[in-house]
Amino acid sequence: MVAGVTLPMVRFAVDPILRDKGEGAFVKVAEVSKITNEPQEFHFELKQQDGWYLSTANLVAWIRKDESGNIYALSPICKHLGCTVGWNSNSNFPDQYHCPCHGAHYTKEGKQLAVASKPLDEYKVMIKDDWVYLGEIVPNTIVS
């Protein structure tokens, strides 16, 4: 009788830990044909499982092609204090990402030019069936 009562409780507590995490979650964000050399802002949703709580996070990425045609995506979160950067949003810093909070600005590749101590992070990118999929956020490897 004790096992009949405790086994469901143990499974409830341990099951999320034992589930296969896979290779990581990638989310379908944009068609490859819509990506240009100019950074574009794309909004997407990510379903998150925290224990038994399922939620949806609304995320943003700046996606563009480089001169070689490779697609990459940058996080819009400023590395100074976490505000959101915009592309070409300040006439004093043309063709740059700019943070309206404290004046940090970055190159098209995400390299910091002022105020911030690190470049913008990037998303892992996967191209599949003519769609851009984004994965986890990682430190910028483009400007190192």
Side-chain angles (χ1 to χ4, degrees), residues 38-107:
E38 187 76 12
Q40 297 175 73
E41 184 178 44
F42 288 91
H43 296 260
F44 61 101
E45 291 183 346
L46 176 65
K47 301 234 184 283
Q48 298 175 320
Q49 183 85 32
D50 185 17
W52 297 102
Y53 178 70
L54 181 63
S55 63
T56 302
N58 294 310
L59 301 174
V60 175
W62 287 97
I63 304 176
R64 72 176 284 264
K65 285 182 187 175
D66 65 12
E67 291 72 26
S68 303
N70 299 315
I71 294 174
Y72 64 91
L74 295 176
S75 167
I77 306 303
C78 181
K79 298 304 282 186
H80 178 236
L81 290 175
C83 295
T84 303
V85 300
W87 172 253
N88 233 354
S89 59
N90 186 315
S91 60
N92 294 326
F93 305 105
D95 296 327
Q96 293 180 9
Y97 294 100
H98 180 262
C99 179
C101 296
H102 301 102
H105 51 107
Y106 304 83
T107 65

